[in-house]
Amino acid sequence: MPPADRKPLVLIVEDEAPIADVLRLYLERAGYVVAVESDGVRGLIAVRDQHPDAIILDVGLPGMDGTEICRRMRAGGDWTPVLFCTARDDEVDRVLGLEMGGDDYITKPFSPREVVARVKVALRHAQSTEVTGEVVTMGRVTLDRGARRVLVEGDEIALTATEFDLLAYLMQHPGRVITRDHLLEEVWGYASAVGTRTVDVHVAQVRSKLGDASPIRTVRGVGYSAESS
Ligand code: CA
């Protein structure tokens, strides 16, 4: 998260120069500092060296695929918001898939205004959540992954191990819509068509324990996300 006196840095990794140029223009006009890389390997180096606040990532890139860049970031614990640009609809499942961890996607051809709007949303989600080492704070809820404790305005809330893992997973992916199947796989360790009701039951338990401080939002027909209210 950038300090208040610094403009957010958006990294664009895109090998089509006309697209990168128009995105840079619109993002700079919207008040962002913009860096551009046209090659996947250099893109990953820029992620690590420049610590951007958000990344616009083309899927098809020379050097290294955009999905591979994102996979490596997530594997290394880097949860900087990633907006994927895909050339084909059939790439969407892949970029939002379990191991990739993309936050959002937009299909080419896109309107640069729409991209700027999505970047703003991604940054707002990232900024409303503070992840300091093991501690995630969202609104009135503080979750300490190391100590496995959850506090609401300083008062400890007793959660079961599964409830804790469920809340922790959602809070570590602020604003991201997580499907029930994805939660089953991440929290329970299996993917299954049967049993998604289990997720609903546990979400209901977490909500009843956290009361109106609960950051969990239901996304009808899809799953859940955690957001600061
Ligand atoms: Ca490309």
Side-chain angles (χ1 to χ4, degrees):
M1 179 173 20
D5 60 346
R6 180 169 84 66
K7 291 179 177 179
L9 170 64
V10 179
L11 173 66
I12 301 170
V13 189
E14 167 63 78
D15 60 320
E16 288 173 72
I19 294 179
D21 288 347
V22 74
L23 287 178
R24 178 201 282 276
L25 184 72
Y26 274 77
L27 287 162
E28 285 178 348
R29 209 182 274 167
Y32 299 108
V33 176
V34 179
V36 176
E37 292 292 346
S38 58
D39 165 279
V41 175
R42 283 206 300 274
L44 184 59
I45 291 169
V47 169
R48 289 175 176 165
D49 288 352
Q50 299 183 33
H51 305 289
D53 300 292
I55 303 163
I56 298 174
L57 199 50
D58 186 23
V59 175
L61 288 167
M64 184 186 292
D65 213 76
T67 53
E68 178 62 15
I69 294 173
C70 190
R71 194 192 63 74
R72 290 193 189 194
M73 286 170 56
R74 298 325 190 207
D78 182 343
W79 292 95
T80 304
V82 169
L83 172 62
F84 272 112
C85 299
T86 74
R88 306 192 318 266
D89 279 330
D90 62 2
E91 286 176 337
V92 170
D93 285 346
R94 199 155 65 87
V95 302
L96 296 182
L98 283 183
E99 68 278 20
M100 293 311 162
D103 295 274
D104 199 358
Y105 70 92
I106 192 154
T107 311
K108 293 177 180 176
F110 47 71
S111 120
R113 276 195 191 83
E114 176 68 14
V115 174
V116 171
R118 302 283 190 96
V119 167
K120 280 186 186 159
V121 168
L123 285 169
R124 196 170 61 230
H125 285 147
Q127 288 171 1
S128 65
T129 304
E130 205 171 327
V131 183
T132 318
E134 298 278 280
V135 177
V136 188
T137 302
M138 191 174 270
R140 292 186 280 148
V141 180
T142 300
L143 180 138
D144 184 335
R145 286 178 284 165
R148 292 187 68 84
R149 295 173 75 205
V150 174
L151 305 175
V152 173
E153 290 178 333
D155 292 330
E156 183 159 3
I157 307 294
L159 296 183
T160 67
T162 302
E163 289 162 2
F164 181 90
D165 290 340
L166 174 65
L167 182 64
Y169 191 81
L170 289 167
M171 286 180 68
Q172 282 169 251
H173 301 84
R176 194 170 150 204
V177 178
I178 315 281
T179 66
R180 290 177 177 80
D181 283 329
H182 189 148
L183 285 167
L184 271 181
E185 184 147 327
E186 290 291 335
V187 177
W188 281 264
Y190 56 84
S192 169
V194 295
T196 53
R197 175 86 188 119
T198 305
V199 178
D200 300 334
V201 170
H202 281 81
V203 166
Q205 296 278 30
V206 172
R207 279 179 169 151
S208 78
K209 289 182 178 179
L210 298 187
D212 59 9
S214 170
I216 303 177
R217 181 173 73 92
T218 302
V219 183
R220 197 170 292 280
V222 183
Y224 297 98
S225 75
E227 292 170 15
S228 298
S229 48

